[in-house]
Amino acid sequence: MWLRNLLFLGICGIAVSAVVGGLVVPQRPPQVAEIAHPLDENQQNEIQAVADRVDEQFQQVWSDAGLEIASPADELTQIRRISLGLTGTVPSLEEIRVLESRSKGDRLSWWLSKTFADRRYGDFVAERLRRAYVGVENGPFLIYRGRRFLTWLSDQLMENRPYDQLTRELISDNGLWTDAPAVNFVTATIDQDGNQRPDPVKLAGRVTRAFLATRLDCVQCHDDNMGGDLKQSDFHELASFFREAENSFVGIRDDTRATYEYQYLYDDDTTLVPSQVPFNQNLLQEGATERERLANWVTHPENRPFARAIINRMWAITTGKPLIEPVDSIPLNGSFETGEYPPGLEPLTDDFIAHGFDLQRLIRVIVATKAFQRDSRADFEITAAHEETWAAYPVTRLRPEQVIGAIQQAAVLKTLDAESHILTQLINFGEHNDFLKRYGDAGEDEFAEQGGTIPQRLLMMNGNLVKDRTKDNLVRNSATRLALLAPDHPATIEIAFLTTLTRRPSQAEIEYFVERLRDDTLNPRQKAEDLIWALLNSSEFAWNH
């Protein structure tokens, strides 16, 4: 017995030592300069050639409308846009210093390479896509593993898995929701109070909106009475592809004997509904299961709505505003010349399909366009027409998760990422969830235009998060370090602007704040605290521009 107890104590001691060692002496990540490399010259030229084709269409729209064009934004502003769009936070002072140590010609390319190697990119973009795929609800108890699904999706993005392969797995995969995380796309629709089967109607709606950017679910209950040619049967024939999916003790599987019946409007009885796609029927091929047939059709290279859907969504994720609004409603047919499609959509679609549905390449092309690189300010009056056509970069309000991410990063000088101290990550996670509850979450419709609210402004001005992140605390924020280490007031002001707004202050701003920092009624730490608090509560901080 004593040997067993001794062995148990030894194992516990080893475990405690490992945990404490991991907390006290965390492994430092490689330097940011060592984990990313820009594309070579030929690759950059190829990316730029596609971006130029996109810009030609934008230029045509600007010329036809007689619009003046804003100048290019400065480099740090573009870097801030990329970071907010792809990681949900602003660049750290550490990252800015490394960026500025590189030659000017490859900074944007290097920054994107660094971002794609950063787990924050996978996690943040995966959360954006998850909302379109499975919504924001908790899903059926036990059999839906939202966190497992999100982790899997993040892994796919980090590996840069071709988007058509990822989508096919989401639609057609079988297995347990833990061993085969992609099946959570299906299990999320299971009604535990009903027949315990996945809901074909919900799944069809998800497929049409998330993967095809068509609101086919609008004809779920009746034919299109707004001049379109879609029928109620079109939606339910699409839903019939999911009739075989069932939940079992081995997870999601397909029952080939299953049928799908529905009572159409004005019919007296239910009808056995066959599976059929609403358009491009010639691309539908045979498959092992009905879901495989649908998955192959959705992702077929000639089924252009599939590519347009993710292009419009990735443009919205990267910039804050989609090319076509709403983000999940794109006309099935049309062209740029006739006005159904905005500038840039079709050239991006051609390149995305031709290069194997490469998401990282798509993002690089978007960032290389002059539309993305335009300034949001100009020496002429910027109208709604300028922002709608990207003649000036459209100003959009930060989403709640971007606000909290930016606050947490602005409060420290080093980068907050997946390699940060475990205690730091736990604190940030708790703050993140608490802030979203109070600030509000946009839910699935996160790209819809939304104005700020009085409670949100009060939370920023009086809430505990901003107060805790700016108060005199050497460990948790940069205000104290600014006061202690900055050689003079202008240096303090510059660092404060870089950490919060990702730009250097103008001469007028320096003069104004230097005068404030000379106030002898406050100690240096209080002055730095007030400066950062003011910048965090500025309108500039709360907007992507």
Side-chain angles (χ1 to χ4, degrees):
M1 179 65 71
W2 67 270
L3 286 175
R4 184 184 303 172
N5 292 339
L6 184 62
L7 179 61
F8 174 77
L9 292 174
I11 294 173
C12 290
I14 293 172
V16 170
S17 299
V19 171
V20 172
L23 294 178
V24 177
V25 190
Q27 294 294 317
R28 291 302 303 158
Q31 294 296 318
V32 288
E34 298 174 359
I35 64 175
H37 302 280
L39 302 181
D40 61 38
E41 184 176 356
N42 290 334
Q43 291 173 317
Q44 292 191 50
N45 290 339
E46 184 181 353
I47 293 291
Q48 191 59 55
V50 182
D52 289 342
R53 292 199 292 272
V54 173
D55 288 328
E56 287 176 5
Q57 294 191 347
F58 276 106
Q59 185 62 55
Q60 181 178 335
V61 170
W62 300 332
S63 298
D64 292 346
L67 295 173
E68 294 183 83
I69 304 171
S71 302
D74 64 83
E75 184 178 72
L76 287 179
T77 297
Q78 296 180 41
I79 294 301
R80 182 179 187 266
R81 293 171 184 172
I82 296 171
S83 292
L84 284 171
L86 300 181
T87 65
T89 185
V90 294
S92 68
L93 183 64
E94 177 187 30
E95 292 174 310
I96 293 173
R97 296 305 191 204
V98 175
L99 174 76
E100 294 183 333
S101 70
R102 300 190 62 86
S103 60
K104 289 190 175 182
D106 69 353
R107 287 181 180 175
L108 274 182
S109 177
W110 174 83
W111 187 267
L112 282 170
S113 296
K114 183 195 77 68
T115 299
F116 294 143
D118 190 332
R119 173 56 71 172
R120 292 178 297 173
Y121 157 73
D123 291 345
F124 186 75
V125 176
E127 174 61 24
R128 309 276 69 75
L129 296 178
R130 178 185 74 92
R131 293 173 179 235
Y133 298 160
V134 297
V136 296
E137 296 81 11
N138 292 328
F141 182 62
L142 289 181
I143 60 175
Y144 172 66
R145 300 299 175 89
R147 176 56 56 181
R148 185 76 179 90
F149 178 74
L150 188 62
T151 301
W152 172 83
L153 190 54
S154 176
D155 290 341
Q156 308 309 301
L157 294 172
M158 295 301 296
E159 296 171 8
N160 198 28
R161 187 180 182 189
Y163 186 66
D164 59 331
Q165 296 179 18
L166 185 155
T167 303
R168 281 197 294 273
E169 188 168 351
L170 286 171
I171 296 175
S172 63
D173 202 17
N174 288 315
L176 286 171
W177 38 90
T178 51
D179 298 336
V183 303
N184 285 285
F185 173 75
V186 175
T187 59
T189 67
I190 293 176
D191 181 8
Q192 289 188 299
D193 297 328
N195 57 13
Q196 298 289 315
R197 295 179 66 92
D199 189 336
V201 171
K202 288 184 179 179
L203 287 167
R206 293 288 186 193
V207 167
T208 59
R209 291 199 176 214
F211 301 126
L212 300 173
T214 60
R215 298 193 170 188
L216 195 63
D217 52 338
C218 293
V219 295
Q220 172 184 340
C221 302
H222 55 78
D223 294 343
D224 186 356
N225 297 321
M226 303 299 291
D229 56 359
L230 291 174
K231 304 296 183 183
Q232 187 183 10
S233 59
D234 291 330
F235 176 81
H236 290 283
E237 287 173 353
L238 183 70
S240 183
F241 281 98
F242 291 99
R243 67 181 183 271
E244 297 177 348
E246 68 172 3
N247 185 40
S248 68
F249 68 94
V250 294
I252 297 299
R253 66 179 183 182
D254 292 287
D255 177 9
T256 57
R257 299 167 300 176
T259 59
Y260 179 67
E261 296 182 353
Y262 187 79
Q263 183 177 348
Y264 289 117
L265 187 65
Y266 306 125
D267 284 359
D268 295 329
D269 301 310
T270 60
T271 302
L272 189 65
V273 181
S275 54
Q276 183 57 272
V277 294
F279 52 87
N280 289 341
Q281 288 86 355
N282 60 304
L283 304 181
L284 185 62
Q285 302 171 351
E286 294 301 318
T289 66
E290 288 297 283
R291 286 192 293 136
E292 282 191 11
R293 292 180 69 211
L294 178 63
N296 292 334
W297 172 80
V298 167
T299 61
H300 196 287
E302 296 180 30
N303 196 18
R304 292 176 70 86
F306 171 66
R308 294 188 192 114
I310 188 59
I311 288 169
N312 196 40
R313 190 170 294 276
M314 289 307 301
W315 186 286
I317 290 172
T318 307
T319 67
K321 180 181 175 66
L323 285 170
I324 295 181
E325 295 181 284
V327 68
D328 56 2
S329 183
I330 301 176
L332 289 175
N333 300 299
S335 67
F336 164 69
E337 288 73 18
T338 56
E340 288 87 1
Y341 295 145
L345 181 60
E346 290 302 270
L348 288 172
T349 300
D350 292 335
D351 185 73
F352 187 57
I353 295 172
H355 289 86
F357 302 92
D358 186 334
L359 285 176
Q360 292 186 9
R361 177 187 171 90
L362 170 63
I363 295 171
R364 287 185 183 275
V365 174
I366 292 172
V367 171
T369 62
K370 290 184 174 63
F372 176 86
Q373 297 177 6
R374 290 289 171 212
D375 202 339
S376 60
R377 297 176 296 179
D379 54 6
F380 55 84
E381 181 183 0
I382 294 180
T383 65
H386 287 89
E387 292 193 344
E388 289 171 0
T389 60
W390 298 81
Y393 193 85
V395 177
T396 55
R397 181 172 291 276
L398 296 186
R399 295 189 293 274
E401 61 278 355
Q402 292 174 316
V403 175
I404 175 59
I407 292 172
Q408 291 175 330
Q409 181 59 76
V412 295
L413 304 180
K414 295 187 70 64
T415 306
L416 295 175
D417 55 20
E419 302 297 335
S420 297
H421 198 290
I422 184 62
L423 291 180
T424 299
Q425 294 187 52
L426 288 174
I427 292 171
N428 289 345
F429 180 76
E431 287 181 340
H432 184 276
N433 291 338
D434 183 64
F435 181 84
L436 290 184
K437 289 179 182 179
R438 297 173 180 273
Y439 196 84
D441 193 319
E444 296 180 45
D445 197 16
E446 58 182 353
F447 297 113
E449 290 190 16
Q450 296 179 354
T453 65
I454 293 177
Q456 288 175 344
R457 295 302 297 167
L458 291 175
L459 180 64
M460 289 290 292
M461 297 176 68
N462 303 321
N464 290 330
L465 176 66
V466 176
K467 181 172 67 175
D468 289 344
R469 286 290 180 164
T470 55
K471 70 180 181 181
D472 183 6
N473 185 322
L474 184 61
V475 177
R476 297 195 59 204
N477 66 68
S478 58
T480 306
R481 294 191 181 187
L482 283 173
L484 293 177
L485 303 178
D488 51 38
H489 292 328
T492 298
I493 297 166
E494 178 177 299
I495 294 173
F497 269 76
L498 286 174
T499 56
T500 55
L501 304 181
T502 319
R503 69 172 177 87
R504 288 180 166 80
S506 66
Q507 186 59 40
E509 289 169 330
I510 292 176
E511 293 173 358
Y512 175 83
F513 282 111
V514 163
E515 196 64 32
R516 297 299 184 192
L517 292 176
R518 287 174 179 164
D519 184 357
D520 294 333
T521 61
L522 299 175
N523 64 48
R525 294 180 179 181
Q526 289 175 318
K527 295 175 185 178
E529 176 183 331
D530 289 348
L531 172 59
I532 294 181
W533 182 92
L535 295 177
L536 291 178
N537 279 284
S538 66
S539 295
E540 183 176 351
F541 179 82
W543 292 77
N544 188 14
H545 49 80

